[in-house]
Structures are given as structure tokens and as C-alpha cells.
Amino acid sequence: VDIEAFIRDRLVQRIGRITNTKFTTGTGSSEPRGVVTAAAAGKVGTTGQTASVFFDDLIDLVHSVDPAYRALNRCEFMLNDASLKVIRKLKDSQGRPIYLPGSDGLAAKMPDTLLGYAVNINQDIATMAANAKSILFGDFKFYIVRDALEYSFFRFTDSAYAKNGQVGFLSFVRAGGNYVDVGGGVKYYQNSAT
């Protein structure tokens, strides 16, 4: 068993999950400012929408983002998989689902779309609940990640470990992130408080 490769792979996965959490919901104080933290309100659900969203709310969310950003053809939805489950159940007045899952086409897999926009799953975005910022929409290209130090991985076999029949591993990364656009290119849908 290549234990070093196993540990390295597990640490890379763990650091990836931690940084995704910070790039999504970080406060900006001693950690990256997450995209949810940087976004502005686009639509707040009406009373009773603590765990739901209406079709009209999604339309309002899309149109809360300035048309100049939408014209760049880079806007997307970002939400938790549990929130996508709620949206997949929404239907238009003719009973057709508003969410169109992608399929394998002749040339390549087509992306999942919602109202014509790509859908990205990010499990660090809140699940629909009271006051949850559960759906993001906009141009995420303005969120910048800065890697100040590359991923580092160290293996220690010195006497402190060897005398106990052990091997030590250390891994770390130094990065920051912030949404650098001031025009409000990303907005969120917030569920109702009650």
C-alpha cells in the first residue's frame, strides 16, 4: 500500500473542501470573503417560503442582476443539491418542469440549465431554511482566488517520529478570495424568515 499517496490524496481532498467552504461563505475576517458574503440580495421570499421558491422568484432573481452582466453570457445559478431538488419539482402553467437536466448529445454532454442558465451545485451554499441565502445567480468570473502559497506536503521521518515507529505528515495551503466587482453581478435568493 502506498500510504503516502493515500494520505496525500485525502489531504488534497480535505483542503479542497475547506477552501471551497471559505470561498463560498467566508466572513472576510482572517479568512477569504466568500461569494455569498459578498453578494447582495436579489429576491427575498414572501412569508411562508422558508423551504421553497416560486417560479416567479427565480425570474425576479435573474432580473435583479444588471442586464450588462447577463449580456456577457457568463451568468449561472449556484445552489445546494437539496435546493435543486426543490426546483426540479417546479412546473410551469402547462405542467412542464422549468428545470431542464442536461443529456448526452451527439457531440458532448449538454449542461443542466434553469431558465436557460447553467446550474452549478455547491454543497456549501445553505439549504433552504428560514433566512437562508439558498440560491445565487450571476457572473462568478469576478470572484478571484489568490493562491499566496502553493499546496505543500511534507513527510517527517526524523527521530521524533522514528523512535515511536511513526511517520508524520504535514500539509497546508495559503489562499485568499474575494468578489472584486462592485456592480452587483451576483445576487442571492433568501428564504423568508417565517
Side-chain angles (χ1 to χ4, degrees):
V1 174
D2 186 352
I3 193 71
E4 184 175 330
F6 173 78
I7 291 173
R8 183 178 53 248
D9 290 345
R10 294 301 300 261
L11 287 172
V12 165
Q13 182 181 31
R14 183 68 187 134
I15 288 174
R17 288 182 179 271
I18 291 169
T19 54
N20 185 69
T21 299
K22 299 302 182 185
F23 295 147
T24 303
T25 59
T27 63
S29 177
S30 299
E31 62 185 13
R33 184 170 180 232
V35 68
V36 175
T37 308
K43 176 66 178 179
V44 177
T46 58
T47 301
Q49 286 185 268
T50 57
S52 64
V53 62
F54 295 138
F55 177 76
D56 290 350
D57 295 334
L58 295 172
I59 298 291
D60 289 344
L61 179 61
V62 167
H63 287 275
S64 70
V65 172
D66 190 294
Y69 292 100
R70 297 194 321 260
L72 294 172
N73 294 321
R74 299 187 310 208
C75 287
E76 305 173 332
F77 283 96
M78 186 182 289
L79 59 154
N80 185 298
D81 190 57
S83 297
L84 179 60
K85 179 181 168 184
V86 172
I87 290 172
R88 290 185 76 170
K89 296 176 183 179
L90 293 177
K91 303 200 174 30
D92 68 13
S93 62
Q94 301 300 312
R96 296 173 297 209
I98 65 163
Y99 172 77
L100 298 175
S103 63
D104 290 328
L106 294 175
K109 180 171 173 49
M110 294 170 44
D112 296 343
T113 61
L114 178 60
L115 304 176
Y117 296 97
V119 176
N120 290 300
I121 300 299
N122 181 341
Q123 290 299 90
D124 288 314
I125 294 186
T127 302
M128 290 189 183
N131 281 328
K133 297 172 183 174
S134 58
I135 303 171
L136 294 179
F137 176 79
D139 187 347
F140 296 94
K141 299 289 186 194
F142 292 105
Y143 189 85
I144 304 297
V145 173
R146 178 181 171 263
D147 291 324
L149 183 65
E150 289 184 359
Y151 170 78
S152 299
F153 178 76
F154 299 99
R155 175 185 171 141
F156 299 101
T157 56
D158 56 28
S159 60
Y161 292 96
K163 70 181 180 182
N164 295 319
Q166 298 173 335
V167 176
F169 295 94
L170 172 66
S171 181
F172 58 87
V173 65
R174 185 170 171 217
N178 198 359
Y179 193 76
V180 297
D181 182 71
V182 296
V186 173
K187 301 284 183 80
Y188 59 76
Y189 168 76
Q190 183 173 349
N191 293 89
S192 171
T194 57

